[in-house]
Amino acid sequence: MEIFKYLEKYDYEQLVFCQDKQSGLKAIIAIHDTTLGPALGGTRMWTYASEEAAIEDALRLAKGMTYKNAAAGLNLGGGKTVIIGDPRKDKSEELFRAFGRYVQGLNGRYITAEDVGTTVADMDLIHEETDFVTGISPAFGSSGNPSPVTAFGVYRGMKAAAKEAFGTDSLEGRVVAVQGVGNVAYTLCEYLHKEGAQLIVTDINKEAVNRAVQAFGARAVDPDDIYGVECDIYAPCALGATINDDTIPQLKAKVIAGSANNQLKDARHGDIIHEMGIVYAPDYVINAGGVINVADELYGYNQERAMKKVEQLYTTIEKVIEISKRDGIPTYVAADRMAEERIARIRNSRSQFLQNGHHILSHRISR
Ligand SMILES: NC(=O)C1=CN([C@@H]2O[C@H](COP(=O)(O)OP(=O)(O)OC[C@H]3O[C@@H](n4cnc5c(N)ncnc54)[C@H](O)[C@@H]3O)[C@@H](O)[C@H]2O)C=CC1
Ligand SMILES: CC(C)CC(=O)C(=O)O
């Protein structure tokens, strides 16, 4: 990969490589855009096939956070970290503390939180070294695990998308195919089960599948079979790029609404599902519940206020669908437009210089 070419093409601000021999830390922090404010985005720990794959993941996820935060109306930019390693084997206090010192070194340009492979306990270790971390234990006055709140947002967004596809937002009797029943999707399944939806689940982790089968009477299928099952809604809640050339022809669902980041392998896959008449709730819009929740910590965390904002993701998905219909464009394009318009608006309003804090020449004046 020609890194600077790539950064320039998609307008990235910064890419930080973090290496700590003693703890074995190898991490990449990508900061995409800080027009709206400091870059906020989680830390993913994953076993990548190559360093290039890790860099690419960090970059794609960071850009997604710029759009997610903008579309959610947050005054935050987009960033993300990937730590190269196996979350089941390679975690240690030293590793997360070493990473925390790198985050501290960015002096607030980047704020982290959980993502796939990291937990509240890991965030607490990072917090030993920096304040620029959210989703730490509630004992610190923080918001804790964002996953249940992400699930609530996905549930709300799914209902809005269902209303468009089926004329009602009731999920009673709807068949939902859930891919990956991890932290977010398990709670999502709770909401769906409570409303009377029928669940089909899959996961590469058998224990996770069994838990969902037992708790919700879900039907289990093999990971490769989830795309082709007879269902109303496909909820991708594992990793990205599952909407692609191989899977699209198998899909029976009329709605795609799930928590995974970067669901479309390429933009053109968003065009194809649009042409097929599938209502697609854009990933970074519907899965913003977690970031809305952790961002509330910046104002002094208030759970009720955060949940009210997350509930509004229903309206945000409605708005995206409305723009899509009005302008005759796929929903993923409508969401991008919404986010880009907000960034441009704020960028322009910031062009009128206003000193924030001490005057830049105050040290000279006082002498
Ligand atoms: N946790 C959060 O608050 C947020 C999560 N997301 C995204 O939602 C997705 C899920 O996140 P979490 O639930 O936190 O992660 P998780 O790691 O708890 O759950 C993911 C599940 O997917 C399974 N999985 C992985 N590959 C699979 C495959 N090929 N087929 C079937 N199952 C597979 C894993 O075994 C795991 O059980 C991720 O893409 C994440 O980036 C997005 C926004 C916030
Ligand atoms: C809790 C969020 C900050 C997690 C995240 O990075 C995301 O929304 O993808």
Side-chain angles (χ1 to χ4, degrees), residues 40-44 61 65 68-69 79-80 111-115 134 146-147 150 259 261 287-292 294:
L40 173 54
T43 294
R44 176 172 292 193
L61 289 164
M65 290 308 300
K68 184 181 306 195
N69 294 337
K80 200 91 169 190
I111 302 169
T112 198
E114 292 87 349
D115 191 55
T134 53
S147 303
T150 302
S259 74
N261 281 308
N287 73 12
V291 78
I292 292 170
V294 300

Side-chain angles (χ1 to χ4, degrees), residues 2-63:
E2 287 193 77
I3 290 187
F4 274 110
K5 238 188 198 164
Y6 190 96
L7 299 187
E8 194 181 340
K9 183 168 174 200
Y10 297 106
D11 226 358
Y12 285 87
E13 292 181 9
Q14 196 172 3
L15 190 61
V16 184
F17 290 85
C18 317
Q19 189 281 132
D20 181 68
K21 204 169 172 181
Q22 214 177 327
S23 64
L25 174 76
K26 284 189 175 52
I28 300 154
I29 304 172
I31 296 179
H32 176 249
D33 186 293
T34 58
T35 305
L36 295 179
L40 173 54
T43 294
R44 176 172 292 193
M45 188 165 184
W46 196 249
T47 46
Y48 288 94
S50 65
E51 287 179 7
E52 190 156 281
I55 297 168
E56 211 173 307
D57 206 27
L59 288 168
R60 274 171 58 95
L61 289 164
K63 183 160 179 264

